[in-house]
Amino acid sequence: MTETDSFTVVTAMNPHDALTVRSTTTHATYQLVEYTDESTRDALASLQPGESVRLSLSRIGRRGNVWRVDIASHRVHPEAARNESRAGT
């Protein structure tokens, strides 16, 4: 995944720095476990379930559903996320 996409937080970041998000366009779930830098990790740590954010992800390894956040953009307004989700269906 190289382009940014809109994701909704499913579970807040846990003590192990893992965060679960769902794509608003494909509805696929991603386990985020690595971040491009501390400021990206800190920004994502502040998100709560139901909030949306634009992310660019890359897969870590060959197996499992673990991802690295390469780019984290601004939070997405909930109405904009719903509209984007409808456009993808």
Side-chain angles (χ1 to χ4, degrees):
M1 199 176 274
T2 56
E3 295 180 24
T4 61
D5 193 8
S6 179
F7 293 85
T8 301
V9 176
V10 176
T11 58
M13 190 175 286
N14 69 23
H16 303 286
D17 293 340
L19 176 71
T20 304
V21 297
R22 180 174 294 120
S23 168
T24 59
T25 54
T26 66
H27 305 289
T29 301
Y30 299 84
Q31 309 298 319
L32 311 181
V33 298
E34 197 172 288
Y35 309 92
T36 193
D37 55 37
E38 275 301 303
S39 63
T40 300
R41 192 208 68 78
D42 292 346
L44 294 174
S46 70
L47 297 175
Q48 296 301 310
E51 289 191 85
S52 295
V53 64
R54 293 193 66 79
L55 302 171
S56 176
L57 307 177
S58 56
R59 189 173 201 135
I60 300 173
R62 297 182 196 187
R63 302 183 80 180
N65 183 26
V66 290
W67 297 80
R68 170 189 163 93
V69 178
D70 297 317
I71 299 169
S73 301
H74 58 81
R75 289 179 178 172
V76 178
H77 186 275
E79 184 61 31
R82 280 193 294 276
N83 291 340
E84 189 171 317
S85 177
R86 287 184 196 127
T89 57

